[in-house]
Amino acid sequence: MKLLKRIYNWFRSRHMYVIADATDNSITFSHALFHHMGGLSLEQAKVFAFYVPAVEPRQGHYGFILNPSFEQETQLADIQYNTKHRTIGFETLNPTVNRIFYDYGMPALIKAKLDVKVKTAGDITYYQICPPVNNVPSVAMPSQQKKVPSVALSTQLNCEW
């Protein structure tokens, strides 16, 4: 069973992934992921990126939905084609790619290939951006972070406010 799971994860990571670039907050789709989303049949495509809080410690993750319908006005990113590099992706401003890297315990200002899982919640299909397998998060996820009083923080940093 373990071998089958490893083969499945290897196959998925080779085809269903995004390339997250923290220097310009862009997320680029793999060709297989874009085809799975039905990208060629869409006239106008928008993406909503979001954070799914953790049920268990260190289990929170980020994801995105293609063409969501919200009653309230919401910030959506346009899917764009880059003619220079011949890639398809979007720019995410909330959450930023740097925030995603921070929560996943990755270094800042790099490009990284992250696996994507297709998930369903009720009748909504969304795409989960998985943390890297080789990198154990070294920072707490947002749901685990504790607020530090500013007095304690200023004494730790030896500075005055």
Side-chain angles (χ1 to χ4, degrees):
M1 190 63 161
K2 216 174 196 183
L3 179 64
L4 289 175
K5 188 173 184 176
R6 291 178 81 187
I7 291 171
Y8 172 75
N9 288 336
W10 174 80
F11 182 76
R12 184 191 52 164
S13 69
R14 291 205 33 139
H15 299 289
M16 301 280 279
Y17 62 89
V18 294
I19 297 175
D21 185 358
T23 58
D24 62 356
N25 284 317
S26 66
I27 294 183
T28 304
F29 303 125
S30 68
H31 292 288
L33 177 61
F34 184 68
H35 288 293
H36 183 274
M37 293 187 309
L40 295 177
S41 63
L42 300 172
E43 291 179 20
Q44 181 180 0
K46 296 205 178 265
V47 174
F48 175 68
F50 56 91
Y51 177 72
V52 178
V55 176
E56 298 177 12
R58 296 189 181 256
Q59 296 296 321
H61 60 271
Y62 289 89
F64 58 91
I65 298 175
L66 187 66
N67 288 334
S69 59
F70 293 117
E71 293 177 9
Q72 297 179 351
E73 192 171 321
T74 307
Q75 181 181 5
L76 301 175
D78 293 324
I79 292 181
Q80 302 169 350
Y81 178 72
N82 185 332
T83 55
K84 180 180 177 183
H85 300 289
R86 297 190 311 181
T87 57
I88 299 170
F90 66 97
E91 179 183 20
T92 178
L93 299 175
N94 187 16
T96 64
V97 174
N98 280 316
R99 179 61 193 207
I100 295 171
F101 284 3
Y102 175 78
D103 289 343
Y104 286 168
M106 299 169 61
L109 301 176
I110 63 167
K111 287 184 182 180
K113 177 182 167 187
L114 300 171
D115 295 342
V116 173
K117 289 182 183 177
V118 180
K119 298 278 191 167
T120 55
D123 60 344
I124 298 172
T125 300
Y126 72 95
Y127 299 89
Q128 174 186 337
I129 301 172
C130 302
V133 177
N134 299 345
N135 191 5
V136 177
S138 59
V139 295
M141 298 300 270
S143 61
Q144 293 178 313
Q145 293 176 348
K146 296 179 183 175
K147 298 212 179 222
V148 178
S150 60
V151 175
L153 183 62
S154 63
T155 45
Q156 287 177 345
L157 299 176
N158 294 328
C159 62
E160 295 180 16
W161 294 100

